[in-house]
Amino acid sequence: MLPLEDCFIWLHMTQVPSKLERMEIRKAIGNRNIPGADSGVRPRGPDYLVAHACFHCRKSWKLSEENTATCPECGGSLHWMGRAFKAPKKSDLEQWKKVEALWSAGFRFVPNTRWREVEPYPDRLREVAAFIDNNREHPFRVKE
């Protein structure tokens, strides 16, 4: 058996294998599994939930993208609003009318993090008509 000082000297003299060499050693002894080619279709993840609103009840629900549901309160149709829609308070009738006017004109509420130059939606109902006239080619407007 080597004295302790000789062991430290021996450790410093030997060269540590590189990461590639260590990986090859692990593969050779079976400690490293390399997955094969993709075995096929992956299971679909959870659906994105998107805001849908009922203008009659002044309520909003988050539903899956493909959902064409009816309002659970009044039985009317729910309108696809977009992922960035934040529903106003139920008592704020002016804001609900503003949202309905924008939706009827084809505007949807999508995240605008990449669209810094886009004019934001108006804050008040009285500004909506001018906004619609001035933004015929708005990127968040549905083309009819």
Side-chain angles (χ1 to χ4, degrees):
M1 181 154 205
L2 290 173
L4 189 59
E5 294 145 4
D6 290 343
C7 288
F8 284 122
I9 293 171
W10 179 81
L11 282 173
H12 289 305
M13 290 176 54
T14 60
Q15 187 175 11
V16 177
S18 70
K19 184 173 183 174
L20 180 63
E21 292 168 332
R22 291 191 312 264
M23 190 167 68
E24 293 299 324
I25 292 169
R26 288 187 198 113
K27 279 190 222 174
I29 63 173
N31 286 350
R32 172 102 170 122
N33 292 334
I34 306 298
D38 197 7
S39 60
V41 179
R42 295 177 187 214
R44 186 173 168 203
D47 290 335
Y48 280 119
L49 298 181
V50 181
H52 290 70
C54 175
F55 298 128
H56 182 262
C57 297
R58 297 190 304 270
K59 287 192 173 185
S60 173
W61 291 269
K62 295 242 180 181
L63 304 169
S64 65
E65 188 87 33
E66 299 85 25
N67 200 327
T68 57
T70 59
C71 176
E73 304 244 336
C74 69
S77 62
L78 291 177
H79 306 285
W80 189 95
M81 302 303 287
R83 292 193 58 195
F85 178 71
K86 292 185 174 99
K89 288 183 178 181
K90 185 174 181 175
S91 60
D92 196 349
L93 190 58
E94 179 191 0
Q95 289 299 313
W96 274 102
K97 285 183 178 181
K98 177 193 84 169
V99 167
E100 185 174 8
L102 287 170
W103 188 88
S104 296
F107 290 93
R108 300 300 179 259
F109 298 84
V110 295
N112 63 350
T113 54
R114 294 187 201 153
W115 302 87
R116 304 238 186 258
E117 307 84 35
V118 172
E119 185 177 349
Y121 290 163
D123 293 326
R124 305 298 304 254
L125 178 61
R126 65 176 174 256
E127 302 165 351
V128 169
F131 176 81
I132 292 170
D133 289 339
N134 295 335
N135 291 286
R136 300 227 178 263
E137 298 299 319
H138 199 280
F140 303 154
R141 193 171 192 179
V142 177
K143 308 293 187 246
E144 295 177 22

